[in-house]
Amino acid sequence: MNGNSPDDGLAANRALWDDRAQAHGTTPNDMLYDVDSFLAGRQTLYGIELELAGDVTGQDVLHLQCHFGMDTLNWARLGARVTGVDFSTTAIGRARELAELAGLTADFVEADTQNLPSCLAGRFDLVIATYGVLCWIGDLDAWMRGAAMALRPGGRLVLVDLHPAYQTLASYEPLVADWPYGGGEPQREVVTCTYADPDLPMTPQEVVQYPHSVGEIVTAAAGAGLIIDRLAEHTEVEFPGSRILPEGPDGTRRFPFGDTYLPILYSLRARSPRTAGA
């Protein structure tokens, strides 16, 4: 795969996510993290991850890169025993506060998902990560090994993320692509806003992101010993997210390309072998 150090960009990225964890869910124009409606019972999960995960009642679920815990706690509402992991101290603190406010039971662990603590090994029926995940990961192999390590025999990984083809876009009209499709080489930029509320002024932060192709992601999963049973590409999204793409009358966003659409998301489901060598 690539030779990037897991520590390359980690401090800069953590500073960004500490700031975002402090800001998200605190402004009236936040498109994704309405805390009040969540506390009133709003479901924050989307159809793709719900379908891939299936019934989680009574299962042990590990949510990687959980931010301040809103999705993690929705899995708890669906009957799972949940643990969330994030490298942001601020996010983990807010997640614990949110769990208390919501009256939900959850564990939250502060850790880099490229270096998960051994106490998580073999404990989970489902490891899940969704939306804006692997672009922050310099060592893709280490991330997949950690997910595999956390699974029980026969446990499943569910990953739903932005498609690498979509991530190359700088703008749709005019169509400008300015990011590599894959390769994993660090891409540095200064970020001055947040996707949840683009009009909210944020302290400029230099961050490092990493482009991974679909082939590199699948190969990393296989290299970690996971057995892939589903890989899908999705041409529409339900959530507000990026303003780059036009919003259709049905509220979804698509990436038009000639007479068809290019994928915006991909989803991967894989399982840990039930027995050694299986």
Side-chain angles (χ1 to χ4, degrees), residues 68-142:
F68 70 98
M70 196 171 279
D71 282 0
T72 317
L73 294 169
N74 263 286
W75 291 110
R77 280 180 173 160
L78 294 175
R81 293 182 293 272
V82 296
T83 299
V85 174
D86 201 277
F87 71 165
S88 163
T89 302
T90 305
I92 291 299
R94 279 201 68 193
R96 290 170 177 158
E97 292 171 1
L98 187 62
E100 187 173 351
L101 285 171
L104 294 166
T105 300
D107 291 326
F108 289 99
V109 176
E110 183 181 336
D112 174 15
T113 54
Q114 297 163 107
N115 187 23
L116 291 177
S118 58
C119 64
L120 300 177
R123 286 178 45 194
F124 298 94
D125 304 296
L126 174 66
V127 171
I128 191 156
T130 55
Y131 308 110
V133 180
L134 295 184
C135 63
W136 300 103
I137 300 302
D139 192 335
L140 186 57
D141 293 326

Side-chain angles (χ1 to χ4, degrees), residues 46-220:
Y46 293 100
I48 298 172
E49 59 263 35
L50 289 168
E51 178 191 350
L52 290 175
D55 185 2
V56 297
T57 303
Q59 294 194 349
D60 293 298
V61 173
L62 179 65
H63 183 197
L64 300 180
Q65 290 159 247
C66 69
H67 199 28
F68 70 98
M70 196 171 279
D71 282 0
T72 317
L73 294 169
N74 263 286
W75 291 110
R77 280 180 173 160
L78 294 175
R81 293 182 293 272
V82 296
T83 299
V85 174
D86 201 277
F87 71 165
S88 163
T89 302
T90 305
I92 291 299
R94 279 201 68 193
R96 290 170 177 158
E97 292 171 1
L98 187 62
E100 187 173 351
L101 285 171
L104 294 166
T105 300
D107 291 326
F108 289 99
V109 176
E110 183 181 336
D112 174 15
T113 54
Q114 297 163 107
N115 187 23
L116 291 177
S118 58
C119 64
L120 300 177
R123 286 178 45 194
F124 298 94
D125 304 296
L126 174 66
V127 171
I128 191 156
T130 55
Y131 308 110
V133 180
L134 295 184
C135 63
W136 300 103
I137 300 302
D139 192 335
L140 186 57
D141 293 326
W143 191 94
M144 287 293 182
R145 286 195 302 269
M149 173 271 290
L151 288 170
R152 294 183 172 126
R156 297 157 297 139
L157 167 67
V158 168
L159 171 65
V160 184
D161 209 353
L162 300 175
H163 197 285
Y166 170 67
Q167 288 183 296
T168 66
L169 281 189
S171 70
Y172 173 66
E173 291 179 331
L175 187 63
V176 176
D178 71 346
W179 218 57
Y181 177 78
E185 291 302 313
Q187 308 294 310
R188 299 177 184 274
E189 66 173 319
V190 175
V191 173
T192 59
C193 63
T194 175
Y195 58 93
D197 186 352
D199 298 324
L200 177 67
M202 301 284 289
T203 302
Q205 300 273 6
E206 182 180 73
V207 301
V208 184
Q209 296 187 67
Y210 308 87
H212 305 295
S213 70
V214 171
E216 290 161 353
I217 293 162
V218 170
T219 300

